[in-house]
């Protein structure tokens, strides 16, 4: 990262800590869905079953997204406490402070992030 001021680093730390707290709250709020009165929910049709399955899959995907982001925030906090915060993990270039203020857990410059996302899209298709 280009020479960041103590004020900028403090702001970035606070942004990361606030996001970590918010994510932990969201993750802790997720509880397995339990049927009312401890009884199994009666599924009256395949459509009902499909809706319940979709809701479960969406909740699982949201939880995984939050867990992944929490990991990225934790990693950024570690980099901030050591050397390497603000340096692209792929090319080593400085990540602009504007990018870090928008995405404090960013670990790649915009060029490398774009290449990373493109490679992931190709791999997924």
């Amino acid at each position: 990262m280009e020479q960041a001021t103590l004020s900028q680093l403090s702001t970035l730390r606070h942004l990361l800590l606030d996001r970590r707290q918010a994510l932990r709250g969201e993750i802790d709020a997720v509880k397995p869905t339990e049927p009312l009165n401890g009884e199994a929910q009666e599924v009256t049709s395949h459509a009902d079953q499909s809706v319940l399955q979709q809701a479960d899959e969406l909740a699982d995907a949201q939880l995984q997204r939050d867990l992944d982001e929490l990991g990225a925030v934790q990693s950024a906090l570690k980099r901030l406490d050591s050397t390497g915060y603000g340096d692209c993990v792929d090319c080593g270039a400085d990540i602009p402070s504007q990018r870090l203020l928008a995405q404090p857990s960013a670990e790649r410059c915009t060029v490398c992030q774009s290449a990373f996302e493109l490679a992931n899209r190709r791999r997924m298709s």
Side-chain angles (χ1 to χ4, degrees):
M1 176 175 170
E2 67 247 14
Q3 294 294 73
T5 65
L6 290 178
S7 175
Q8 287 173 320
L9 291 175
S10 177
T11 297
L12 290 165
R13 179 178 303 285
H14 285 294
L15 288 170
L16 288 164
L17 291 172
D18 288 347
R19 187 61 186 148
R20 180 177 70 180
Q21 182 177 358
L23 286 165
R24 285 180 173 168
E26 290 173 23
I27 291 166
D28 290 344
V30 175
K31 297 185 185 269
T33 54
E34 296 179 18
L36 298 176
N37 301 325
E39 297 176 13
Q41 289 181 330
E42 185 177 331
V43 177
T44 58
S45 71
H46 291 294
D48 289 346
Q49 185 176 9
S50 177
V51 168
L52 289 173
Q53 182 177 354
Q54 286 177 334
D56 285 345
E57 290 172 0
L58 178 60
D60 288 346
Q62 290 170 331
L63 177 60
Q64 188 59 55
R65 179 203 59 215
D66 288 346
L67 289 168
D68 290 346
E69 185 179 352
L70 180 59
V73 167
Q74 294 286 81
S75 178
L77 284 166
K78 286 180 184 175
R79 288 192 313 274
L80 191 58
D81 289 336
S82 63
T83 58
Y85 182 78
D87 297 334
C88 178
V89 297
D90 290 343
C91 72
D94 288 342
I95 300 173
S97 57
Q98 301 291 28
R99 174 162 168 70
L100 290 172
L101 286 170
Q103 183 66 39
S105 61
E107 60 183 4
R108 291 179 181 83
C109 65
T110 52
V111 172
C112 290
Q113 184 65 37
S114 294
F116 177 79
E117 291 173 7
L118 179 61
N120 278 341
R121 276 194 300 266
R122 287 182 179 158
R123 188 176 37 182
M124 300 279 279
S125 40

